[in-house]
Amino acid sequence: GLSTDEKRAKWRAEGDRRRKRAFDSLQLLIQTLGGQCARCEGDETHPLTIDHVGGSRTWDVRAESPMSRVKRYWAEYRAGVKLRVLCLLCNTEDRNVRAKELEDAPF
């Protein structure tokens, strides 16, 4: 059998392969959605992210593994959910604006 160190190395290598597949799939979706920030048309200074138009996401991104998250985004894209590309800065600003609107709501 494999030694403990060999098992760890094999496990790390598989994790690296999974992360690369998730990253590559995410980059393909970003390119499919236009490849640049929908707000500032980005200069690639900030990483690009996927955003649900109008805050329509119904699931917790943080609760998903990277590959599960990307698979979900692709499934939503194929189902016609409105997605867009935002740079990390614009995505954060957009989230802050929506949070402020909710705070100011009259209910």
Side-chain angles (χ1 to χ4, degrees), residues 27 31 34-37 40-48 87-88:
Q27 295 311 305
Q31 290 307 310
Q36 66 182 13
C37 180
C40 70
E41 298 180 1
D43 58 5
E44 300 184 19
T45 305
H46 302 287
L48 296 175
C87 70
L88 192 57

Side-chain angles (χ1 to χ4, degrees), residues 37 45-49 86-95:
C37 180
T45 305
H46 302 287
L48 296 175
T49 62
L86 291 180
C87 70
L88 192 57
L89 183 64
C90 287
N91 198 342
T92 301
E93 288 174 1
D94 191 63
R95 246 184 276 131

